[in-house]
Amino acid sequence: MRALVLGTQSFIDGGPKVGTQYLAQALAAAGWQVDYLPTLSSPFDLVGRKRHARLLRAWVGKGASEIAPGLTEWSAKALFPAHRLFLRMAWQARCYGLLLPASLRRTRFDVCLTDVAPNMLLAPQIAARVHVCRLNDWPQGFAGDLHPVAIEAMVSTLRGPVFSEVWAVSGPLQDYSHQLNPRLPVLCLPNGVDAGLLMPAESRRSPRRECSAVYVGAMTAWFDRALLCEVAALMPDWSFDIYGPGGASRPGDPPNLHWRGGLSRERLAQVLPSYEVGLIPFCDPQGRMRYVERPLKFYEYIAAGLGVACTDLGALRGEWQDGHALATDQKTSPRQYGKPGSRRPRSPRMTP
């Protein structure tokens, strides 16, 4: 059995590891031959060390790299990036995969699995017995990065006959898919796992820094920097460490707010357990949070034994309303997601 997985992040470059990568690895471990295709590389990929490396692999190197037995990552070319400044015409969306490797074009795959990302534009060009869209996001949520032409092409693909079924990662996204195409089978396969199963082994815990909070992730449009600064200013006895690309200090930042830069997957498991609380300071400038169940960083925090403080969003909202907020006494249950007896950062707009 052979599968093509159209994703975003590269195994080779490191960085955040996303759901389709885990699915690609699981298929390979189950005996499938898996071809994994992250974001395509164009001659305009000039900013960023990882983009430079991808550019060399795609345009100068061999293009295919074995990640694990049965799992191959392809570094493929594109004439232009999918960014809103470059992909602005309907014909560009239709020919985005024009330079795909010939072996991927010739092969008829048993399954083509696609994330909601620019690589979804490639799905109509791939021959597969079954096409599956893993509906992990709301296409319009990419409005800050993609031109409306590209977003409409993604939505049209969901409406059309390309996909055999959809795997939605949340109930709201399942409803959204039904509205787009009522005839298309849609399964709800939530991100992550039951947080109650992620109770870390006591022997693996690192010494925790008292009064320490951490955020790990991108500085995206829904990252509420102003709220984070407000919380840090209100809690001068706490330290707030922010890990992720694009973060930098600004004049007026509280002295206890620290921007630590990127954090590799390898270091993530070592660094997170040293904190007491993980932060999810998200706002909703684009309306996409209505389609969020729980951000994956929620599960990373819980797996590391942290308490979680978050804004009012997605399925986490229901948990606070149902009385399952983080506990601050010794009666914490697996469902209550807290570290017993620890103090939590509190803010009028962040719920511990």
Side-chain angles (χ1 to χ4, degrees), residues 24 66 71 99 217 247:
E66 185 180 23
L71 176 58
L99 300 182

Side-chain angles (χ1 to χ4, degrees), residues 67 78 108 152 272 285 288 341 347:
I67 304 303
R108 178 174 173 79
E152 181 53 38
L272 274 187
R288 70 188 296 164
S347 159

Side-chain angles (χ1 to χ4, degrees), residues 239-285:
S239 65
F240 294 80
D241 288 354
I242 313 302
Y243 293 91
S249 61
R250 298 178 186 172
D253 280 355
N256 57 334
L257 181 61
H258 311 288
W259 303 88
R260 303 297 189 186
L263 186 65
S264 68
R265 289 197 296 263
E266 291 73 21
R267 290 193 58 222
L268 180 64
Q270 302 169 3
V271 170
L272 274 187
S274 65
Y275 293 90
E276 285 197 318
V277 173
L279 304 173
I280 307 178
F282 286 174
C283 56
D284 195 11

Side-chain angles (χ1 to χ4, degrees), residues 162-312:
V162 173
F163 291 114
S164 310
E165 61 183 63
V166 169
W167 299 347
V169 303
S170 72
L173 281 173
Q174 185 181 32
D175 295 339
Y176 169 77
S177 180
H178 278 308
Q179 293 170 8
L180 285 180
N181 191 341
R183 297 181 298 277
L184 191 62
V186 185
L187 303 177
C188 187
L189 302 176
N191 266 331
V193 297
D194 184 346
L197 301 176
L198 294 174
M199 305 309 292
E202 201 69 36
S203 60
R204 288 190 174 185
R205 290 187 178 178
S206 306
R208 298 189 189 278
R209 293 162 41 200
E210 290 189 5
C211 299
S212 61
V214 63
Y215 170 81
V216 180
M219 313 302 158
T220 54
W222 51 93
F223 175 75
D224 196 336
R225 192 185 196 283
L227 172 61
L228 196 57
C229 289
E230 178 186 342
V231 173
L234 288 171
M235 304 180 62
D237 58 329
W238 278 71
S239 65
F240 294 80
D241 288 354
I242 313 302
Y243 293 91
S249 61
R250 298 178 186 172
D253 280 355
N256 57 334
L257 181 61
H258 311 288
W259 303 88
R260 303 297 189 186
L263 186 65
S264 68
R265 289 197 296 263
E266 291 73 21
R267 290 193 58 222
L268 180 64
Q270 302 169 3
V271 170
L272 274 187
S274 65
Y275 293 90
E276 285 197 318
V277 173
L279 304 173
I280 307 178
F282 286 174
C283 56
D284 195 11
Q286 301 163 337
R288 70 188 296 164
M289 288 304 162
R290 75 189 111 172
Y291 299 112
V292 172
E293 285 284 312
R294 300 183 188 94
L296 285 178
K297 60 177 51 56
F298 171 81
Y299 296 97
E300 293 173 341
Y301 295 156
I302 295 300
L306 277 64
V308 179
C310 72
T311 46
D312 189 25

